[in-house]
Amino acid sequence: MNEAALVIPVVSYARISADTARDGHGVEDQHKLNAETAVRLGWTIVHRCTDNDLSAAKSRVVRPEFEAMLKTLKSGHLPDGQPVLGVIVVADDRLTRRAGDYERFVDTLTYDEGRVYADAKGSKNLYSEDVESMGLFGVVISKMEVRKMQRRARRSHRSRAERGIPVGGKRPFGWKADKLALEPEEAAWLAKAAREVIAGKSLHSILREWQEAGVRTINDKEWASRSLKLALWNPRLCGWRKHNGELVRDANGVPLLGLWEPIVTPKEWMAIDAIFSARLGPNIKADGTVTDYRTPSYLLTGILRCGKPRNDGQICNAPLRATARPDLSGGYLYQCPGKEMGGCGGTGRNGAKIDEFITEAVLAKLEERAVKATRDDASWGDEEELNRLISKQRKMLQAWQADQISDELFFPESQKMETRVKELRADRTRRALSQQRTAEVTGDVRERWNSGRLDLAQKRALIREALHAVIVLPVGGGGRRPFNPDLLVPKWRD
């Protein structure tokens, strides 16, 4: 028998979960150790499979080279026809960390007789049930260790959050590399955008301004609506932090402050949170693509409602749409859509005249409210109840932990209180939004409205602050009639 016939061709497999240096040195070191093992055993490495920066513990992570290696072992040769009779790894946990993956590997390797396997300690006979069982036991131990590490990581993240220490990763837009000090120019853009959102400006309008000004992300890319929204909705903006989707709070329910410099005040961020939370969802185009909210082209689109009675005595109530009409003074008409679009098609009114009348009514109402707001107590009336419930929750938890109350009593009551606490916090957030908007809607609202400083979205936001809707009653009698403001019925917000 010649020497070539004694060569045992094998694959060297290397994997590392986190290549923090991004230079591949970890997997390269593993391949070097595998080469030394091959020399010691008299085997020959004919191919290298590498999964760099990929976890073997997470079921959702696909390791392309691991899967390719299984196909090679099943067929017994590489795509070019080179035979493969086994695998070398540094250790079992580099190969698999999940029992299912280990079983797949063993089944594939032992599909034919005469296959070999080795780690840095030496060769192992995977055809032996005892060896396979020990391998599975090792995988189970490895999985337990992974879970311990994950728990430690979660506790560490929680601890960092409670101490206000910034998380890892790239610096957030608005802050310098230390993630603590503000980057002045970026912070200024965020502060301006935050206050414009509170004042009613659409994300689309803000985004267009950023793009025209050449504002780029930290990755030197153009901003998109979603990324801008997430940046503004991040409580880091006011010095707070979320962990697992919830604000990190102290024992009294008060959000903890981070160590970084804030860009806006907590009240301002709470206003932004209320605005974004109130939105039902994005617009979906006919082709299925998702877009952010867009500013309508007319002032009262979606606010005007058809007041024509139906046969059952109820009003139509369909939202009026704006249509260009060059023959009308002002050039557009608010009209109820036809029956095929959910309306009755029976109400239409001069758009410019309605806009003028409703604008004056809204400005007068906002000025009246601004005067009243200066006299009212700005404090939130349910703060005492919220604090009482939080204290009661804490005491009940302590009693349950001390086995002084049963599970049957604790869990239902705790859930009820938690629901009420969330309701009160949401109400406090809405109050903060109202106060913030009141600060925007001061006595100079008329001057700002007429100065050109407010865009259409901001004007519509102010109208929404004052109005639920405006019912447009039918003129009656057929034909054109003089504009009659008495046929407009505003439904004011309290």
Side-chain angles (χ1 to χ4, degrees), residues 335-393:
Q335 189 168 24
C336 182
K339 292 182 179 179
E340 67 279 2
M341 300 297 291
C344 67
T347 301
R349 208 60 54 83
N350 185 299
K353 291 183 178 179
I354 289 187
D355 284 355
E356 182 181 0
F357 176 79
I358 295 299
T359 294
E360 178 56 36
V362 166
L363 291 177
K365 179 67 72 173
L366 292 175
E367 288 172 330
E368 175 188 332
R369 289 182 179 175
V371 172
K372 183 176 182 295
T374 61
R375 299 194 302 263
D376 288 347
D377 182 9
S379 63
W380 180 57
D382 290 323
E383 192 73 50
E384 184 177 343
E385 182 184 358
L386 177 60
N387 292 334
R388 180 184 63 80
L389 278 174
I390 291 172
S391 175
K392 188 176 180 180
Q393 273 185 309

Side-chain angles (χ1 to χ4, degrees), residues 20-33:
T20 55
R22 296 291 187 269
D23 59 5
H25 74 276
V27 287
E28 191 59 37
D29 289 345
Q30 291 180 33
H31 281 306
K32 288 178 181 177
L33 287 173

Side-chain angles (χ1 to χ4, degrees), residues 226 229 279-285 289-294:
R226 176 171 172 76
K229 181 177 181 179
R279 295 181 175 177
L280 297 178
N283 294 327
I284 303 178
K285 294 183 178 179
T289 57
V290 180
T291 63
D292 210 323
Y293 294 86
R294 297 291 185 261

